[in-house]
């Protein structure tokens, strides 16, 4: 199930008496949400209602590609569209992103079962497994409590990647973050804490209780994932093992306490198959996809660098990874499922680096374009969406063609100083000079720290927000193994 969309909404009114909310009312209403069947049945009802509204394309898709822009809310999509055009010498507003060309568009609600403002783990469980979950948990239902190992067993939920594999399709994961980060991990792991990247990140009691780290689950839960590409090398090697690319930098050393070399184990397990391990761009681009059925590509100890900072000799772009992945996966006559995450859009926003975030979004758009060229609209369902938004916006009555990273044309009527068009609602900015706001007209706003100069609430990092996010779909209804995917999308997740 790529996306389960719910076209109705529950509103809970809690009466406030003497400063105390009616928590028992809320708890009673959300108790059914702990059962995965609650969400599946709701989705089935929604789908049946949607099918009565119009005559929709009911062809069966052989291939499924889900592009997930982490943190790519509606303001980010709009700003990335303008940036794409301005990078080509246009004013930008008239430009089309590849996703803008898709025939179906919808909005998705993004809350977690215990959080109004969601995180990437609980939302990943929702769109990959079809079941809303608690913040910070992956691949488990809302009955599982974050960081409580003993709530894992019995509350596992399965993902579309597993369903596709069971249906005989090839499957793949491509991300610009660690391959065991929140978004990709929900495709294969069942973990009550998104931060348990390796056993070196887990508390002793969780290990003693039998919980597994996410890196280990990547290779054990679904051992025959055909393509895995991203970062995260250090979580695969024993503690203090020097990294192949940065042998002199101890911060990149292996983190595993159990002494296992998961990469070596993977290589041994698939050595009699057409397999390939790559840790740099040169290795990746030198392979012949026709001679590779299983690919593991780990290109950094942690996350891949931002596109603007990428070493083009050692680190592949998202587009290059998608290109190789599809060429390997499409050889399967039964089709394939591919999850592609533009994960560092989110990181750019967290750091207040709007320029980095938007260039990440433009790079994901290039990857979408490349995927379209490598597949056919007659047998491929493609969906582009996000997991949550950010406290990111831009405005200020800017004229047509104004640099997306530029200043607004007017000054504040409060302190008579200029301000950037891009703004963040909170984060590490709010810089004061001599007890007053800095005059940003003296700042080189063409550099990546664009919006740290004017915001409402100072914080050490920018945080997510609960905006609805866009869903862009193209082609096909798909129903296999009783699991539903559809591109005629109605608003809500």
């Amino acid at each position: 199930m790529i996306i389960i969309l719910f076209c109705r909404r529950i509103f809970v009114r809690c009466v406030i008496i003497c400063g105390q909310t009616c928590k028992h009312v809320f708890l009673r209403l959300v108790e059914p949400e702990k059962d995965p069947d609650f969400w599946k049945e709701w989705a089935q009802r929604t789908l049946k209602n949607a099918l009565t509204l119009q005559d929709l394309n009911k062809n069966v898709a052989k291939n499924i590609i889900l592009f997930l822009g982490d943190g790519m809310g509606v303001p980010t999509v709009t700003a990335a569209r303008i940036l794409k055009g301005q990078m080509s010498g246009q004013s930008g507003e008239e430009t089309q992103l590849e996703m803008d060309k898709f025939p179906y568009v919808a909005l998705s609600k993004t809350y977690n079962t215990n959080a109004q403002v969601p995180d990437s783990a609980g939302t990943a469980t929702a769109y990959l497994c079809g079941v809303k979950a608690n913040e910070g948990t992956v691949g488990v239902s809302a009955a599982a409590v974050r960081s409580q190992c003993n709530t894992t067993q019995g509350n596992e939920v399965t993902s579309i990647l597993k369903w596709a594999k069971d249906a005989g399709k090839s499957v793949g994961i491509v991300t610009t973050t660690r391959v065991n980060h929140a978004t990709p991990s929900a495709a294969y792991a069942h973990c009550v804490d998104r931060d348990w990247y390796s056993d070196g990140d887990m508390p002793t009691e969780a290990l003693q209780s039998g919980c597994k780290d996410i890196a280990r689950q990547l290779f054990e839960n679904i051992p025959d994932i055909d393509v895995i590409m991203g970062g995260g090398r250090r979580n695969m090697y024993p503690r203090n093992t020097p990294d192949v690319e940065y042998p002199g930098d101890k911060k990149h050393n292996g983190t595993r306490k159990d002494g296992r070399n998961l990469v070596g184990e993977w290589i041994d397990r698939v050595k009699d198959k057409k397999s390939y391990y790559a840790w740099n761009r040169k290795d990746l681009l030198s392979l012949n996809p026709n001679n590779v059925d299983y690919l593991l590509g780990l290109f950094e100890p942690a996350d891949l660098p931002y596109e603007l900072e990428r070493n083009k000799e050692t680190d592949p772009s998202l587009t290059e990874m998608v290109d190789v992945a599809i060429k390997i996966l499409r050889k399967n006559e039964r089709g394939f499922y591919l999850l592609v995450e533009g994960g560092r859009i989110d990181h750019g926003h967290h750091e207040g680096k709007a320029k980095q975030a938007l260039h990440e979004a433009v790079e994901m758009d290039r990857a979408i374009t490349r995927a379209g060229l490598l597949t056919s609209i007659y047998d491929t369902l493609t969906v582009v969406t996000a997991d949550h938004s950010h406290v990111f916006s831009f405005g200020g009555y800017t004229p047509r063609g104004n640099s997306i990273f530029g200043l607004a044309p007017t000054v504040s009527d409060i302190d008579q100083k200029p301000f950037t068009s891009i703004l963040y609602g909170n984060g590490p900015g709010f810089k004061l000079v001599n007890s007053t706001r800095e005059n940003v007209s003296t700042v080189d706003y063409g550099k990546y720290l664009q919006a740290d100069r004017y915001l409402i609430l100072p914080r050490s990092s920018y945080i997510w927000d609960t905006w609805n996010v866009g869903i862009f779909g193209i082609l096909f209804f798909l129903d296999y193994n009783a699991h539903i995917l559809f591109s005629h999308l109605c608003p809500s997740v």
Side-chain angles (χ1 to χ4, degrees), residues 100-113:
D100 292 331
K101 303 172 186 178
F102 285 16
Y104 300 102
V105 180
L107 292 175
S108 168
K109 292 187 294 187
T110 59
Y111 65 94
N112 296 145
T113 48

Side-chain angles (χ1 to χ4, degrees), residues 13-24:
R13 293 178 178 267
C14 284
V15 180
I16 300 178
I17 303 175
C18 300
Q20 298 295 317
T21 60
C22 298
K23 293 182 180 179
H24 63 281

Side-chain angles (χ1 to χ4, degrees), residues 67-81 97 99-100 107-108 110 120 318 340-347 349 357-358 360-365 368 383-390 392 464-465 467-472:
F67 283 93
L68 191 285
D70 199 313
M72 191 182 69
V74 173
T76 300
V77 172
T78 305
R81 179 185 303 120
L97 294 168
M99 67 186 84
D100 292 331
L107 292 175
S108 168
T110 59
S120 298
L318 181 61
V340 181
E341 183 197 19
R344 303 226 65 195
I345 300 169
D346 178 65
H347 294 173
H349 281 321
L358 297 184
E360 291 295 307
V362 172
E363 172 58 25
M364 193 178 84
D365 189 68
I368 297 169
V383 175
V384 183
T385 189
D387 49 357
H388 58 75
S389 188
H390 269 273
F392 166 84
W464 306 297
D465 79 7
W467 279 52
N468 287 0
V469 297
I471 304 172
F472 305 82

Side-chain angles (χ1 to χ4, degrees), residues 121-132:
T123 51
T125 305
Y127 60 75
L128 292 177
C129 305
V131 177
K132 278 194 177 291

